[in-house]
Amino acid sequence: MGRIAGILNRLEGLYPEAATTLAHKDAFELLVAVMLSAQTTDESVNRVTPALFRDFPTVEAFCDAPLAEIEKRIRSIGLYRNKARHIKETARILSTRFGGNVPADQKDLESLPGVGRKTANVVLSVWFKEHRIAVDTHVARVAKRLRLADWEDSALIVEKRLMAAFPEESWSTLHHRMIHFGRYRCTARRPECDACILKEFCRYPDIRP
DNA sequence: ATCCCGAGGG
DNA sequence: CCCTCTGGAT
């Protein structure tokens, strides 16, 4: 089995499910949850979103919500001032320009404040079922350690390299599996390389500090 | 390149 | 204490 197929095979065996762990009931809740997840764990996001969506159940509710009331409910997340402002403004734009719906287009999504390429890719992948590889801190780290990208590569370059290396049908599931793998196994600080299922494909044990 | 920013782990 | 967490805007 080749290197690419080997990596796919091992990750699939480890994480058969390959779905997002961000709680959401519709496209707007998913978008908000992903916006909140910047520099935070999904667990922390899922801790605040139930009350947030209970008190502000619709796009219109977020438009009418006082900024301070949104901030209060997401404070434990961190970066809460920017996130609250971006979410409220995004709700206003969705209401006025997109008929209250989350657009299914990459450029439209990235035109929303607080929504960049990574967030747009997650929404397009998880909700609209497009083949995407959202490159976050975990995906980038794992890709670089596996020699699928260079250390100095930007997130966009990493995304392009992964898309070139892996078959399109695998992109979305690969994304989730690399995230989970990076979060719990190939950790930033102290990865357990000795027990790693991808050891034979990896350069990191040889060059780690 | 810097700032935003609280929570959790080591 | 220091580092990291599903980034994006300036």
Side-chain angles (χ1 to χ4, degrees), chain A residues 7 11 14-15 136-148 151 176-205 207-208:
Chain A
I7 292 173
L11 286 177
L14 187 58
Y15 307 118
D136 55 43
T137 178
H138 295 309
V139 173
R141 183 179 62 252
V142 172
K144 290 173 183 184
R145 285 178 177 173
L146 283 173
R147 210 181 320 179
L148 296 166
W151 295 103
H176 290 297
R177 286 168 180 149
M178 285 182 77
I179 293 217
H180 212 72
F181 184 69
R183 173 76 181 87
Y184 296 106
R185 302 239 179 169
C186 191
T187 55
R189 216 167 331 169
R190 209 168 58 85
E192 293 177 20
C193 296
D194 293 336
C196 182
I197 62 164
L198 299 180
K199 192 199 300 195
E200 64 186 278
F201 307 114
C202 191
R203 64 177 165 182
Y204 194 62
I207 62 177
R208 61 186 293 186

Side-chain angles (χ1 to χ4, degrees), chain A residues 40-114:
Chain A
T40 315
T41 62
D42 46 355
E43 235 172 90
S44 299
V45 174
N46 289 340
R47 209 170 294 144
V48 303
T49 45
L52 183 67
F53 296 140
R54 179 199 63 212
D55 296 340
F56 308 112
T58 63
V59 174
E60 292 304 325
F62 273 91
C63 293
D64 298 336
L67 200 52
E69 292 302 315
I70 300 177
E71 288 182 354
K72 186 194 306 178
R73 288 164 177 76
I74 66 172
R75 188 161 296 138
S76 64
I77 289 297
L79 309 180
Y80 63 91
R81 285 198 191 95
N82 284 337
K83 288 175 181 175
R85 188 161 45 83
H86 289 153
I87 288 168
K88 183 171 165 60
E89 178 65 6
T90 284
R92 191 190 66 77
I93 296 173
L94 291 181
S95 175
T96 58
R97 299 189 63 83
F98 295 102
N101 298 311
V102 176
D105 176 78
Q106 173 123 26
K107 288 306 164 201
D108 287 341
L109 285 168
E110 290 185 23
S111 76
L112 302 167

